[in-house]
Amino acid sequence: MDYSSLIKKCSKVSNFSEPVLNDLMYYAAERNKLDQRFDLLVKKHKNVFGRLGKANQAMFKTQYVIHELFKNEGLIHKYLNHAHIKALPKEEYEYLKAQAANPWRFTYWFVRTNPYPDFFESVDIITGEEFLLYSPGASRTLGEQNVLTFGGLISSNGDCYQTYGPLMGFSSFQADDIFFYAGELDPTIETIEELTELIEKDLFSFLLLSVYSAIPMVQHQGHEILYVLSTIDATAFEMDLWKDAFRVEYSADVFKMSLKELEAFPHYACVYFDELQEEMTITAMTDFGYDRLAGELNRMGIDAPAEPYIRLHVSMKSAIEEITGHDTELLPHEGLFSQVSPEQEDSPELDAINKFLAELMPAINSRTKFDLDELITRTGADPDAAKDIYKDLMKKLNR
């Protein structure tokens, strides 16, 4: 790969397209009021999007408008027949015509390798497509923070992809988080095509995630804390199978089987069996806890999925609840077992640490002042564990 020549091509494309796109944005603002539509969305979500500075908001507005123009079946197809656009110099008109034939897309990807400065071999987390990306912005972002997933608007110049507008570098969001978020926005989403269509139709909802991009993963003693669970059909429950490795509880037609060695913080590895629904939910708050739980179930002859159906980061759960305004209920049966049993007197409760995290993450993200000790006392979280989590987050955020 001749990267030196490719850099020259990328720079030529950027320098040529910038004034063309700027003029087109003003035209689109006048013809289709795209800027006003964006401003209305900002007003609707001012409590979240308002945390971004005016300069960042303006850059996202530009990205939003360009996406509306060049997305699949975007406005550019209509504009190419307008007299004003047809009157452009031939080279500019041909450029816009080429973009219409090769739609731009807003997507999410992770970096596999960095073969040359500012070039990244990347993988689209939605489609699985592998592509070469030229992005000095990605280089700067990686130099400033740990990034698991990027999000942004990309287009192809024929030899590689380039980004347009602001980049999102997520420190704690991955593919499962994006898919789960899409499902919360539209519960009918089931396929990759439907997710792609949702992003094209409702880009602003995905731009809102930029507010949460810098929030790091929550960890405790080397274990990442997140929601890991699977639900499977189950029609029988053999009590004797569970007695050795699990502590069994029962309430309102629901069994809760806690894996004795990992039932406490941070793992909270347990299984819920709903007799009426004939469903078994396998859940933990760490990957390690889920893996050990699945292994124990398989040993008992229960076909537990090796890969969880849901793997949701605490930061995404917080984002969803702030953006949508409703709680994300992952474990509806947990409330049946909220009381501390004699065997658990020395262990923090799952609901307490969840309440702590649910209030801590938004406060840190919005830089709201709060009393850590008061938050710990009010939520009932284990003080040592809660303070360790807080210190780790502050360290990662360089605060």
Side-chain angles (χ1 to χ4, degrees):
M1 178 71 70
D2 185 355
Y3 288 105
S4 297
S5 297
L6 198 49
I7 288 176
K8 292 179 181 178
K9 178 175 182 177
C10 292
S11 298
K12 182 179 179 181
V13 170
S14 296
N15 293 334
F16 172 79
S17 65
E18 183 176 359
V20 179
L21 297 179
N22 286 339
D23 290 343
L24 187 63
M25 280 191 293
Y26 287 113
Y27 182 75
E30 180 180 346
R31 296 284 305 193
N32 290 87
K33 311 299 181 186
L34 296 181
D35 57 336
Q36 294 181 23
R37 187 192 308 174
F38 183 88
D39 291 341
L40 288 173
L41 291 169
V42 170
K43 186 176 181 179
K44 179 181 178 182
H45 295 278
K46 62 181 179 180
N47 291 338
V48 173
F49 204 68
R51 296 176 197 167
L52 299 177
K54 293 295 183 182
N56 284 330
Q57 290 186 33
M59 287 192 293
F60 278 113
K61 177 189 281 191
T62 298
Q63 190 177 61
Y64 176 87
V65 172
I66 290 297
H67 175 263
E68 291 299 302
L69 289 165
F70 294 117
K71 68 181 182 181
N72 187 40
E73 299 181 1
L75 289 171
I76 189 61
H77 292 278
K78 295 181 179 179
Y79 288 1
L80 289 174
N81 293 319
H82 291 185
H84 176 80
I85 302 301
K86 284 186 173 181
L88 291 172
K90 181 179 179 181
E91 190 177 10
E92 294 183 11
Y93 184 82
E94 290 300 319
Y95 167 77
L96 295 179
K97 189 176 178 181
Q99 304 315 302
N102 296 280
W104 297 24
R105 72 179 189 270
F106 189 95
T107 193
Y108 299 88
W109 66 90
F110 67 86
V111 170
R112 178 165 285 167
T113 62
N114 181 201
Y116 196 81
D118 297 333
F119 282 92
F120 303 93
E121 292 182 352
S122 306
V123 180
D124 189 313
I125 67 171
I126 297 176
T127 65
E129 174 193 350
E130 298 182 9
F131 62 96
L132 180 64
L133 176 73
Y134 174 71
S135 177
S139 296
R140 290 191 295 271
T141 303
L142 288 168
E144 297 169 355
Q145 69 184 77
N146 179 45
V147 176
L148 295 178
T149 305
F150 279 102
L153 183 60
I154 62 174
S155 64
S156 175
N157 61 28
D159 291 311
C160 69
Y161 280 84
Q162 294 178 249
T163 60
Y164 182 88
L167 275 180
M168 302 180 194
F170 296 105
S171 296
S172 59
F173 291 172
Q174 292 178 289
D176 285 352
D177 297 288
I178 301 301
F179 278 89
F180 190 91
Y181 177 64
E184 291 295 294
L185 295 176
D186 183 352
T188 67
I189 296 294
E190 293 183 352
T191 66
I192 290 172
E193 291 75 16
E194 289 170 342
L195 173 55
T196 301
E197 290 172 2
L198 178 63
I199 295 175
E200 290 178 348
K201 181 178 68 175
D202 185 19
L203 177 63
F204 189 83
S205 289
F206 291 87
L207 296 183
L208 287 172
L209 293 178
S210 63
V211 176
Y212 307 88
S213 61
I215 298 179
M217 295 181 292
V218 180
Q219 292 183 321
H220 180 70
Q221 296 182 354
H223 292 289
E224 184 181 359
I225 299 174
L226 71 171
Y227 302 90
V228 192
L229 63 143
S230 297
T231 300
I232 61 175
D233 293 331
T235 58
F237 182 77
E238 296 292 339
M239 178 71 74
D240 290 340
L241 293 176
W242 301 80
K243 288 183 177 179
D244 293 336
F246 294 85
R247 183 174 54 79
V248 181
E249 301 172 82
Y250 183 77
S251 178
D253 300 313
V254 177
F255 286 92
K256 178 181 180 181
M257 289 75 73
S258 302
L259 188 61
K260 292 177 182 178
E261 63 173 321
L262 296 176
E263 67 175 316
F265 179 84
H267 308 289
Y268 295 115
C270 68
V271 177
Y272 296 94
F273 174 65
D274 188 322
E275 289 186 296
L276 298 181
Q277 298 295 323
E278 295 187 332
E279 284 185 343
M280 186 174 286
T281 301
I282 306 159
T283 177
M285 289 290 290
T286 65
D287 288 320
F288 179 79
Y290 182 90
D291 291 343
R292 291 292 291 271
L293 190 60
E296 186 65 31
L297 293 177
N298 288 327
R299 186 187 65 79
M300 295 163 55
I302 298 172
D303 189 14
E307 295 294 327
Y309 296 165
I310 294 176
R311 191 173 181 275
L312 186 69
H313 286 86
V314 174
S315 52
M316 178 56 86
K317 186 174 185 292
S318 174
I320 290 170
E321 292 175 353
E322 287 193 332
I323 291 171
T324 66
H326 61 75
D327 293 337
T328 305
E329 191 175 49
L330 295 171
L331 299 173
H333 301 310
E334 177 59 30
L336 299 174
F337 305 92
S338 60
Q339 297 300 314
V340 180
S341 65
E343 298 91 339
Q344 286 182 296
E345 287 179 350
D346 296 328
S347 298
E349 282 296 294
L350 175 60
D351 60 341
I353 203 69
N354 282 346
K355 288 177 183 177
F356 173 74
L357 291 170
E359 293 194 38
L360 177 67
M361 300 302 283
I364 290 177
N365 190 42
S366 62
R367 296 181 180 269
T368 301
K369 291 184 178 180
F370 64 94
D371 186 320
L372 180 62
D373 290 330
E374 188 275 333
L375 177 59
I376 292 172
T377 300
R378 176 159 46 80
T379 58
D382 176 81
D384 292 335
K387 289 179 180 178
D388 284 347
I389 290 172
Y390 176 76
K391 289 177 182 177
D392 183 66
L393 286 171
M394 292 298 99
K395 182 179 180 181
K396 290 179 179 176
L397 289 169
N398 295 317
R399 296 187 193 171

